[in-house]
């Protein structure tokens, strides 16, 4: 399907943010993420085409280098969320959470060109897999988090709880170039080398951001680390992308104009790709009748700082 013909705004997309704005699981970026594979294909999470008004399924969407778009994975139950991640080999993984709390079903997929592979079948056993943040290494061993704890699942599916400092809730994890694990606990970032933890940056969240999209949305949605160990954060709550240098200096490299806010980020060939979306202004239960409102776009920050929109949803 070509980008120019994906023209079903009033029946295709709804962001789960409005439904989750009063829920604590919003802190764990329950929907969100953008990743890029080794061939330059872009994957991002957003709602599936809506079959009826009562069921909303998360989807993984793929944009190829020649600007074709289609969804490559659909959650199996409603309501549902999908978090994307990739390893240093740029293999793509999708962590699916579906059903109602506290009995969520969690599953882990590997996105493949021919057919997707289920790595961990759906389970409601939160000690076996919990969808809060997740990182998969080159050996396809899995680190996942639950509240302030980190768990390691090895190739034999044995689960080990990792010793950690006195962390707050862990909302984001990402791989560094040396396969160190970067961890966002609260609004602090740590680097874990398999033995020790090093604090990189702290107090990154603004207490009362002027550009917050809506009450309760002061959150970081996604994180990526480049080959030079710079960290990039999609700060949804202040409509900005933050770059943190290896010595812990934070600077803003992108400001999203209203009504856009960033909730996905990755780096490919030295360029930064940012997934953004809008927030609708109509009553949410009549949302599609009143205002297309919630739509995605992807922008690219080139090495020279030039910012271009490479995908923007257009309705008829």
């Amino acid at each position: 399907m070509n980008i120019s013909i994906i023209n079903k705004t009033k029946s295709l997309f709804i962001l789960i943010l409005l439904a989750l704005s009063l829920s604590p699981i919003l802190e764990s970026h329950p929907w969100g993420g953008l990743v890029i594979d080794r061939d330059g294909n872009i994957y991002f999470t957003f709602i599936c085409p809506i079959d009826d008004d009562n069921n909303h399924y998360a989807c993984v969407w793929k944009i190829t280098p020649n600007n074709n778009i289609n969804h490559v994975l659909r959650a199996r139950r409603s309501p549902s969320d999908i978090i994307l991640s990739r390893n240093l080999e740029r293999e793509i993984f999708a962590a699916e959470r579906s059903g109602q709390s506290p009995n969520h079903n969690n599953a882990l997929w590997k996105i493949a060109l021919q057919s997707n592979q289920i790595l961990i079948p759906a389970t409601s056993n939160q000690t076996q897999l919990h969808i809060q943040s997740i990182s998969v290494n080159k050996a396809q061993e899995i680190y996942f988090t639950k509240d302030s704890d980190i768990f390691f699942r090895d190739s034999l599916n044995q689960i080990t709880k990792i010793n950690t400092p006195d962390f707050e809730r862990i909302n984001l994890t990402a791989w560094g170039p040396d396969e160190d694990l970067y961890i966002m606990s609260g609004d602090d970032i740590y680097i874990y080398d398999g033995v020790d933890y090093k604090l990189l940056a702290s107090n990154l969240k603004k207490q009362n951001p002027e550009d917050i999209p809506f009450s309760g949305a002061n959150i970081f949605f996604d994180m990526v680390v480049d080959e030079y160990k710079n960290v990039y954060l999609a700060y949804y709550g202040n409509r900005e992308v933050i770059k943190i240098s290896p010595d812990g200096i934070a600077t803003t490299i992108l400001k999203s104009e209203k009504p856009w806010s960033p909730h996905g980020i990755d780096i490919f060939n030295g360029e930064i790709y940012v997934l953004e979306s809008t927030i609708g202004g109509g009553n949410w239960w009549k949302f599609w009748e009143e205002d297309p409102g919630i739509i995605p776009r992807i922008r690219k920050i080139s090495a020279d700082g030039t910012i271009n929109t490479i995908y923007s949803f257009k309705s008829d």
Side-chain angles (χ1 to χ4, degrees):
M1 187 186 304
N2 190 278
I3 287 178
S4 63
I5 60 172
I6 190 165
N7 295 324
K8 301 179 182 177
T9 306
K10 292 191 177 182
S11 61
L12 278 184
F13 293 123
I14 183 170
L15 219 53
I16 305 173
L17 280 174
L18 294 179
L20 295 174
S21 62
L22 299 178
S23 170
I25 65 173
L26 185 61
E27 274 296 320
S28 65
H29 73 138
W31 116 103
L34 177 147
V35 291
I36 303 174
D37 70 14
R38 63 174 62 92
D39 297 318
N41 298 301
I42 299 170
Y43 301 81
F44 67 96
T45 54
F46 219 68
I47 199 70
C48 294
I50 296 176
D51 298 320
D52 62 75
D53 291 337
N54 297 316
N55 293 292
H56 303 117
Y57 299 87
C59 265
V60 177
W61 295 84
K62 175 182 175 181
I63 301 177
T64 65
N66 62 355
N67 283 347
N68 288 324
I69 184 170
N70 64 296
H71 61 274
V72 295
L73 178 67
R74 172 187 167 115
R76 292 171 295 179
R77 294 177 62 187
S78 172
S80 53
D81 315 307
I82 294 177
I83 298 173
L84 288 176
S85 66
R86 66 165 175 83
N87 61 18
L88 295 179
E89 299 293 333
R90 292 195 176 270
E91 296 174 307
I92 308 301
F93 303 91
E96 174 191 341
R97 178 178 60 197
S98 60
Q100 300 287 350
S101 178
N103 299 313
H104 290 120
N105 276 283
N106 301 308
L108 183 67
W109 297 84
K110 181 180 179 182
I111 304 296
L113 291 179
Q114 300 302 321
S115 62
N116 299 322
Q117 177 186 357
I118 185 74
L119 298 182
I120 302 178
T123 176
S124 59
N125 186 341
Q126 307 297 309
T127 65
Q128 294 298 304
L129 181 65
H130 185 263
I131 308 304
Q132 181 171 300
S133 65
I134 192 162
S135 292
V136 184
N137 65 18
K138 293 179 182 179
Q140 296 191 15
E141 298 168 321
I142 301 155
Y143 290 82
F144 66 90
T145 65
K146 186 177 188 298
D147 300 322
S148 59
D149 295 323
I150 303 175
F151 297 88
F152 173 68
R153 181 168 176 146
D154 65 19
S155 58
L156 299 177
N157 294 323
Q158 299 299 307
I159 311 295
T160 304
K161 183 177 178 293
I162 305 297
N163 291 326
T164 61
D166 187 18
F167 277 159
E168 298 178 54
R169 182 184 175 90
I170 299 169
N171 296 315
L172 299 171
T173 56
W175 293 115
D178 300 326
E179 208 160 16
D180 292 341
L181 188 64
Y182 285 66
I183 300 163
M184 189 164 207
S185 164
D187 59 354
D188 303 336
I189 295 178
Y190 293 82
I191 305 172
Y192 176 57
D193 63 5
V195 178
D196 298 317
Y197 295 87
K198 172 188 173 183
L199 178 64
L200 174 64
S202 60
N203 301 318
L204 293 167
K205 183 182 291 185
K206 293 179 171 59
Q207 293 304 309
N208 296 292
E210 295 180 359
D211 290 333
I212 190 167
F214 60 91
S215 177
N218 190 15
I219 51 177
F220 295 95
F221 257 97
D222 206 3
M223 177 171 68
V224 68
V225 185
D226 71 13
E227 60 182 313
Y228 305 108
K229 302 184 180 181
N230 297 297
V231 179
Y232 300 84
L233 288 168
Y235 186 6
Y236 187 88
N238 203 41
R239 304 181 193 266
E240 65 181 337
V241 172
I242 298 174
K243 176 183 178 181
I244 302 163
S245 67
D247 56 358
I249 305 302
T251 55
T252 297
I253 62 168
L254 177 70
K255 264 307 245 188
S256 300
E257 78 281 8
K258 294 180 181 179
W260 300 95
S261 297
H263 56 94
I265 191 165
D266 201 3
I267 297 172
F268 185 71
N269 289 340
E271 298 179 312
I272 303 163
Y273 292 75
V274 181
L275 171 65
E276 300 166 297
S277 63
T278 59
I279 287 294
N283 291 327
W284 118 273
W285 59 91
K286 295 183 178 178
F287 191 76
W288 301 120
E289 287 82 1
E290 297 182 358
D291 182 2
I294 302 175
I295 56 174
R297 76 177 178 187
I298 296 172
R299 292 199 288 173
K300 179 177 72 174
I301 307 174
S302 299
D304 63 2
T306 303
I307 301 172
N308 293 303
T309 299
I310 63 171
Y311 166 70
S312 184
F313 181 86
K314 302 293 184 185
S315 60
D316 289 328

